[in-house]
Amino acid sequence: MINLSITDLALAMLLPFQIHYHANKNDWIFGKDLCNVISIMFYVNMYGTILTIMLISLERYLGIVHPMKSSLWRKKRYAIGAILLIWLVLLAALYPMESTDLMYEVKELNIKTCFDILKWNMLPNLIAWAVFIIGLFLFFFLIPFIITVVCYARIIRKLIQTSNRNGTGYERRSINLAIFVLIVFITCFAPNNLILLLHTIVRLFYGKSYYYAYKLTLTLSCLSSCVDPFLYYFASKDFRRKALELLNFRSRSIKQCVVRRDSVFSALTFSSGQCETLQNGNNHRYDHNQMSDM
């Protein structure tokens, strides 16, 4: 959960530069170093979220389906090791992007693009490009997606077998989490990765392009950062407790504000020298100047 929040925070800090870039007619003015950082972090966020969700599903699968056998492995140090491994694998896989200047000057338009036009020399040949893109699709989307679906299918099956007729809150939350994760994969990650694979194939072997569709679906991957708090709510008891405490605190604060506001209005009414009383079902207005013992 902490790893997801870190990647979401990093993306939120870098998105304003991307917004300025597109608002400035795709003219990048912040230099090549920041262009590389933002482009790489964008994909680290997307693929890191996918792999972290896969690890969460694996952890919950082991805890629910094999609780005794997995007790030795479900520890904090192994979770930290798995997260560090994810970062190392992602940075290694994205090394071609890290070692290349992702800015490109379009002299005809007098603009400098950032990761919109890739240089062919980023990879040595056509086969390397195909391996790079297809490898990203297989190892950072398709395989994690299959593992996540299988894990949550086994979890739901186990919960149905062991639950009573009405089910418990924990079981319902686990089922809701499984459904929610599948929705995130289908809506946020599947369109972009499928279009990327299609665009790569037709671009490398047929000379056509689906780049506009790819950029459009790329924006959907940012939605994962917006919906991750719901994942925290379903998957983390501590987050759920803190969220409910915060909502209750805000509710109490609103009520206190209403009470104080009413008190202030009442004080202002009295201080103005006038008030209304209800006597025998009728409203009566009194002037403070006339009734000094008010």
Side-chain angles (χ1 to χ4, degrees):
M1 298 299 175
I2 293 175
N3 186 62
L4 280 180
S5 64
I6 290 174
T7 56
D8 290 341
L9 180 61
L11 180 66
M13 294 173 61
L14 297 175
L15 272 181
F17 297 97
Q18 193 76 16
I19 294 172
H20 179 275
Y21 168 64
H22 292 299
N24 197 35
K25 299 181 180 179
N26 292 353
D27 187 13
W28 184 260
I29 63 173
F30 301 107
K32 66 177 184 178
D33 293 334
L34 191 57
C35 172
N36 280 37
V37 169
I38 289 177
S39 301
I40 293 168
M41 282 304 302
F42 194 92
Y43 286 92
V44 167
N45 170 265
M46 179 173 65
Y47 293 127
T49 299
I50 292 174
L51 295 176
T52 305
I53 290 176
M54 179 193 71
L55 290 181
I56 293 173
S57 66
L58 280 171
E59 192 273 340
R60 298 183 74 84
Y61 165 76
L62 293 174
I64 294 175
V65 181
H66 303 288
M68 302 302 295
K69 296 180 181 179
S70 63
S71 59
L72 294 177
W73 294 96
R74 297 175 61 241
K75 297 183 182 297
K76 184 180 296 185
R77 62 176 179 269
Y78 294 118
I80 295 175
I83 293 300
L84 292 177
L85 180 61
I86 281 179
W87 280 88
L88 291 175
V89 170
L90 281 175
L91 293 177
L94 297 176
Y95 177 76
M97 295 171 54
E98 299 162 6
S99 59
T100 304
D101 182 5
L102 299 179
M103 283 184 56
Y104 185 85
E105 183 178 2
V106 183
K107 296 181 180 180
E108 294 82 0
L109 300 177
N110 195 26
I111 62 173
K112 294 181 179 179
T113 63
C114 177
F115 202 62
D116 276 334
I117 300 176
L118 293 181
K119 302 172 183 177
W120 279 109
N121 60 2
M122 190 177 91
L123 292 168
N125 50 50
L126 188 66
I127 300 299
W129 274 100
V131 170
F132 177 68
I133 300 298
I134 296 175
L136 291 178
F137 175 80
L138 288 177
F139 294 105
F140 294 145
F141 172 72
L142 185 60
I143 293 177
F145 176 68
I146 293 174
I147 293 175
T148 302
V149 170
V150 171
C151 286
Y152 279 119
R154 295 290 301 275
I155 289 172
I156 293 175
R157 179 183 177 186
K158 181 70 173 180
L159 292 176
I160 292 176
Q161 290 175 348
T162 58
S163 64
N164 55 31
R165 178 176 299 179
N166 296 324
T168 64
Y170 176 78
E171 293 157 355
R172 287 194 296 270
R173 284 194 300 271
S174 296
I175 294 174
N176 290 336
L177 175 63
I179 296 173
F180 176 78
V181 168
L182 295 179
I183 292 175
V184 170
F185 265 96
I186 293 172
T187 58
C188 297
F189 302 131
N192 173 251
N193 284 274
L194 291 173
I195 292 295
L196 175 61
L197 180 65
L198 178 63
H199 168 71
T200 301
I201 293 174
V202 299
R203 182 70 181 88
L204 294 178
F205 299 103
Y206 299 99
K208 298 181 180 180
S209 174
Y210 290 101
Y211 188 71
Y212 288 107
Y214 167 71
K215 292 290 286 187
L216 182 62
T217 57
L218 192 62
T219 61
L220 293 175
S221 64
C222 296
L223 290 178
S224 65
S225 298
C226 302
V227 299
D228 277 347
F230 295 98
L231 190 149
Y232 304 151
Y233 182 84
F234 287 126
S236 173
K237 181 173 65 178
D238 291 335
F239 183 90
R240 190 163 53 251
R241 177 175 56 83
K242 290 292 185 180
L244 292 176
E245 289 178 358
L246 179 62
L247 292 175
N248 290 334
F249 173 77
R250 293 193 63 183
S251 178
R252 290 195 301 269
S253 299
I254 292 174
K255 291 181 180 178
Q256 291 173 358
C257 289
V258 172
V259 172
R260 287 196 298 268
R261 184 189 64 183
D262 293 342
S263 300
V264 170
F265 286 164
S266 299
L268 289 175
T269 303
F270 279 109
S271 64
S272 66
Q274 296 181 346
C275 71
E276 292 184 358
T277 62
L278 185 64
Q279 184 178 9
N280 297 328
N282 298 317
N283 287 327
H284 299 273
R285 182 178 296 274
Y286 297 93
D287 195 332
H288 176 68
N289 296 325
Q290 296 176 358
M291 297 185 63
S292 59
D293 58 345
M294 179 70 72

